[in-house]
Amino acid sequence: MSHSNTDEKLVRMANQIATFFLSQPEGERVDGVATHINKFWEVRMRARFFEMIDAGEGDFLPLVKEAAQRINRPVKATA
């Protein structure tokens, strides 16, 4: 299954959020990006985001990568 189209959208959306928060005071940027993604991205989006981050995939802006530490990582279901 190809994720390329979805991945491109996730990267674009995350980078747009980061670009907005670059205009905010430096101390608010990381939390702003993380809070926005935590609040508005559904679990599937955050799960794929972390798959990409963990694999070093996607052309994410440095601010997105830094904010990833504060984004809620979805818990994987155990069977």
Side-chain angles (χ1 to χ4, degrees), residues 1 8 19 26 30 32 45-46 58 63 66 69 72-73:
M1 178 170 132
E8 289 174 16
T19 298
E26 189 172 342
V30 172
M45 293 169 70
R46 285 185 286 115
L63 180 55
E66 188 177 352
Q69 300 171 30
N72 296 330
R73 185 180 286 266

Side-chain angles (χ1 to χ4, degrees), residues 60-74:
F60 292 106
L61 293 174
L63 180 55
V64 174
K65 293 177 184 177
E66 188 177 352
Q69 300 171 30
R70 298 185 189 175
I71 295 170
N72 296 330
R73 185 180 286 266

Side-chain angles (χ1 to χ4, degrees), residues 24-39:
Q24 303 301 308
E26 189 172 342
E28 298 175 16
R29 295 173 185 173
V30 172
D31 280 338
V33 173
T35 298
H36 183 91
I37 290 175
N38 284 328
K39 189 181 280 189

Side-chain angles (χ1 to χ4, degrees), residues 3-4 6-8 10-11 45-60:
H3 291 284
S4 62
T6 301
D7 291 356
E8 289 174 16
L10 286 177
V11 170
M45 293 169 70
R46 285 185 286 115
R48 182 62 190 145
F49 170 77
F50 279 110
E51 288 173 2
M52 294 174 70
I53 289 287
D54 292 346
E57 298 173 356
D59 192 18
F60 292 106

